[in-house]
mmCIF file of all heavy atoms in Angstrom:
data_model
loop_
_atom_site.group_PDB
_atom_site.id
_atom_site.type_symbol
_atom_site.label_atom_id
_atom_site.label_comp_id
_atom_site.label_asym_id
_atom_site.label_seq_id
_atom_site.Cartn_x
_atom_site.Cartn_y
_atom_site.Cartn_z
ATOM 1 N N ARG A 225 7.916 11.505 -1.050
ATOM 2 C CA ARG A 225 6.464 11.481 -0.802
ATOM 3 C C ARG A 225 5.780 12.743 -1.268
ATOM 4 O O ARG A 225 4.597 12.715 -1.622
ATOM 5 C CB ARG A 225 6.184 11.252 0.684
ATOM 6 C CG ARG A 225 6.586 12.376 1.610
ATOM 7 C CD ARG A 225 5.975 12.182 2.997
ATOM 8 N NE ARG A 225 6.447 13.158 3.959
ATOM 9 C CZ ARG A 225 5.954 14.391 4.078
ATOM 10 N NH1 ARG A 225 5.001 14.799 3.259
ATOM 11 N NH2 ARG A 225 6.424 15.222 4.986
ATOM 12 N N GLY A 226 6.487 13.886 -1.302
ATOM 13 C CA GLY A 226 5.877 15.151 -1.699
ATOM 14 C C GLY A 226 5.145 15.802 -0.546
ATOM 15 O O GLY A 226 4.681 15.129 0.383
ATOM 16 N N VAL A 227 5.027 17.111 -0.597
ATOM 17 C CA VAL A 227 4.374 17.855 0.489
ATOM 18 C C VAL A 227 2.929 17.420 0.655
ATOM 19 O O VAL A 227 2.410 17.314 1.769
ATOM 20 C CB VAL A 227 4.461 19.376 0.217
ATOM 21 C CG1 VAL A 227 3.683 20.147 1.290
ATOM 22 C CG2 VAL A 227 5.914 19.825 0.195
ATOM 23 N N ASN A 228 2.251 17.125 -0.451
ATOM 24 C CA ASN A 228 0.846 16.710 -0.408
ATOM 25 C C ASN A 228 0.697 15.194 -0.581
ATOM 26 O O ASN A 228 -0.366 14.714 -0.982
ATOM 27 C CB ASN A 228 0.058 17.441 -1.496
ATOM 28 C CG ASN A 228 0.030 18.945 -1.276
ATOM 29 O OD1 ASN A 228 -0.172 19.403 -0.156
ATOM 30 N ND2 ASN A 228 0.258 19.710 -2.329
ATOM 31 N N TYR A 229 1.781 14.467 -0.315
ATOM 32 C CA TYR A 229 1.780 12.996 -0.411
ATOM 33 C C TYR A 229 1.416 12.527 -1.818
ATOM 34 O O TYR A 229 0.801 11.478 -1.995
ATOM 35 C CB TYR A 229 0.818 12.380 0.624
ATOM 36 C CG TYR A 229 1.039 12.907 2.013
ATOM 37 C CD1 TYR A 229 0.223 13.908 2.533
ATOM 38 C CD2 TYR A 229 2.084 12.441 2.794
ATOM 39 C CE1 TYR A 229 0.451 14.428 3.811
ATOM 40 C CE2 TYR A 229 2.318 12.951 4.059
ATOM 41 C CZ TYR A 229 1.499 13.944 4.559
ATOM 42 O OH TYR A 229 1.733 14.454 5.803
ATOM 43 N N ASP A 230 1.823 13.318 -2.824
ATOM 44 C CA ASP A 230 1.458 12.974 -4.195
ATOM 45 C C ASP A 230 2.585 12.286 -4.957
ATOM 46 O O ASP A 230 2.419 11.960 -6.136
ATOM 47 C CB ASP A 230 1.004 14.228 -4.956
ATOM 48 C CG ASP A 230 2.059 15.340 -4.948
ATOM 49 O OD1 ASP A 230 3.136 15.149 -4.341
ATOM 50 O OD2 ASP A 230 1.795 16.415 -5.536
ATOM 51 N N GLY A 231 3.718 12.047 -4.313
ATOM 52 C CA GLY A 231 4.818 11.376 -4.983
ATOM 53 C C GLY A 231 4.473 9.977 -5.446
ATOM 54 O O GLY A 231 5.003 9.493 -6.457
ATOM 55 N N LYS A 232 3.549 9.339 -4.749
ATOM 56 C CA LYS A 232 3.152 7.968 -5.090
ATOM 57 C C LYS A 232 2.388 7.891 -6.409
ATOM 58 O O LYS A 232 2.172 6.805 -6.944
ATOM 59 C CB LYS A 232 2.298 7.389 -3.960
ATOM 60 C CG LYS A 232 1.042 8.193 -3.645
ATOM 61 C CD LYS A 232 0.448 7.782 -2.313
ATOM 62 C CE LYS A 232 -0.744 8.657 -1.935
ATOM 63 N NZ LYS A 232 -1.223 8.356 -0.565
ATOM 64 N N TYR A 233 1.958 9.038 -6.946
ATOM 65 C CA TYR A 233 1.254 9.063 -8.227
ATOM 66 C C TYR A 233 2.191 9.395 -9.396
ATOM 67 O O TYR A 233 1.766 9.326 -10.554
ATOM 68 C CB TYR A 233 0.121 10.098 -8.200
ATOM 69 C CG TYR A 233 -0.969 9.777 -7.205
ATOM 70 C CD1 TYR A 233 -1.008 10.412 -5.963
ATOM 71 C CD2 TYR A 233 -1.938 8.825 -7.489
ATOM 72 C CE1 TYR A 233 -2.002 10.110 -5.039
ATOM 73 C CE2 TYR A 233 -2.933 8.525 -6.575
ATOM 74 C CZ TYR A 233 -2.953 9.175 -5.346
ATOM 75 O OH TYR A 233 -3.933 8.867 -4.431
ATOM 76 N N GLY A 234 3.420 9.748 -9.116
ATOM 77 C CA GLY A 234 4.342 10.191 -10.147
ATOM 78 C C GLY A 234 5.062 9.044 -10.828
ATOM 79 O O GLY A 234 6.293 8.952 -10.758
ATOM 80 N N SER A 235 4.329 8.195 -11.503
ATOM 81 C CA SER A 235 4.932 7.029 -12.129
ATOM 82 C C SER A 235 3.975 6.469 -13.176
ATOM 83 O O SER A 235 2.982 7.105 -13.535
ATOM 84 C CB SER A 235 5.265 5.968 -11.070
ATOM 85 O OG SER A 235 5.995 4.901 -11.629
ATOM 86 N N SER A 236 4.298 5.275 -13.657
ATOM 87 C CA SER A 236 3.474 4.615 -14.668
ATOM 88 C C SER A 236 3.388 3.130 -14.346
ATOM 89 O O SER A 236 4.211 2.584 -13.603
ATOM 90 C CB SER A 236 4.093 4.795 -16.058
ATOM 91 O OG SER A 236 5.328 4.079 -16.138
ATOM 92 N N TYR A 237 2.402 2.460 -14.926
ATOM 93 C CA TYR A 237 2.294 1.012 -14.736
ATOM 94 C C TYR A 237 3.401 0.278 -15.493
ATOM 95 O O TYR A 237 3.777 -0.834 -15.120
ATOM 96 C CB TYR A 237 0.909 0.533 -15.141
ATOM 97 C CG TYR A 237 -0.160 1.034 -14.195
ATOM 98 C CD1 TYR A 237 -1.170 1.885 -14.637
ATOM 99 C CD2 TYR A 237 -0.140 0.686 -12.846
ATOM 100 C CE1 TYR A 237 -2.136 2.365 -13.764
ATOM 101 C CE2 TYR A 237 -1.093 1.169 -11.964
ATOM 102 C CZ TYR A 237 -2.087 2.012 -12.431
ATOM 103 O OH TYR A 237 -3.025 2.489 -11.553
ATOM 104 N N GLU A 238 3.972 0.908 -16.518
ATOM 105 C CA GLU A 238 5.139 0.330 -17.160
ATOM 106 C C GLU A 238 6.320 0.306 -16.191
ATOM 107 O O GLU A 238 7.105 -0.649 -16.187
ATOM 108 C CB GLU A 238 5.500 1.122 -18.420
ATOM 109 C CG GLU A 238 4.529 0.934 -19.580
ATOM 110 C CD GLU A 238 3.335 1.874 -19.524
ATOM 111 O OE1 GLU A 238 3.113 2.528 -18.481
ATOM 112 O OE2 GLU A 238 2.604 1.941 -20.519
ATOM 113 N N GLU A 239 6.440 1.357 -15.376
ATOM 114 C CA GLU A 239 7.512 1.393 -14.387
ATOM 115 C C GLU A 239 7.272 0.343 -13.297
ATOM 116 O O GLU A 239 8.212 -0.279 -12.800
ATOM 117 C CB GLU A 239 7.625 2.799 -13.782
ATOM 118 C CG GLU A 239 8.972 3.075 -13.155
ATOM 119 C CD GLU A 239 9.198 4.542 -12.852
ATOM 120 O OE1 GLU A 239 8.213 5.307 -12.742
ATOM 121 O OE2 GLU A 239 10.365 4.927 -12.716
ATOM 122 N N VAL A 240 6.019 0.133 -12.924
ATOM 123 C CA VAL A 240 5.676 -0.940 -11.989
ATOM 124 C C VAL A 240 6.128 -2.285 -12.559
ATOM 125 O O VAL A 240 6.718 -3.120 -11.855
ATOM 126 C CB VAL A 240 4.161 -0.940 -11.696
ATOM 127 C CG1 VAL A 240 3.755 -2.196 -10.930
ATOM 128 C CG2 VAL A 240 3.769 0.311 -10.913
ATOM 129 N N ALA A 241 5.870 -2.494 -13.843
ATOM 130 C CA ALA A 241 6.286 -3.743 -14.484
ATOM 131 C C ALA A 241 7.810 -3.878 -14.492
ATOM 132 O O ALA A 241 8.347 -4.987 -14.302
ATOM 133 C CB ALA A 241 5.746 -3.794 -15.913
ATOM 134 N N ARG A 242 8.514 -2.774 -14.669
ATOM 135 C CA ARG A 242 9.979 -2.827 -14.660
ATOM 136 C C ARG A 242 10.517 -3.267 -13.300
ATOM 137 O O ARG A 242 11.472 -4.055 -13.220
ATOM 138 C CB ARG A 242 10.554 -1.458 -15.038
ATOM 139 C CG ARG A 242 12.087 -1.426 -15.007
ATOM 140 C CD ARG A 242 12.628 -0.097 -15.509
ATOM 141 N NE ARG A 242 12.230 1.031 -14.688
ATOM 142 C CZ ARG A 242 12.823 1.360 -13.536
ATOM 143 N NH1 ARG A 242 13.799 0.615 -13.044
ATOM 144 N NH2 ARG A 242 12.419 2.422 -12.873
#
Side-chain angles (χ1 to χ4, degrees):
R225 68 167 174 82
V227 175
N228 296 316
Y229 310 99
D230 56 359
K232 58 195 175 187
Y233 296 100
S235 187
S236 67
Y237 292 117
E238 288 86 348
E239 201 167 21
V240 170
R242 178 175 63 80

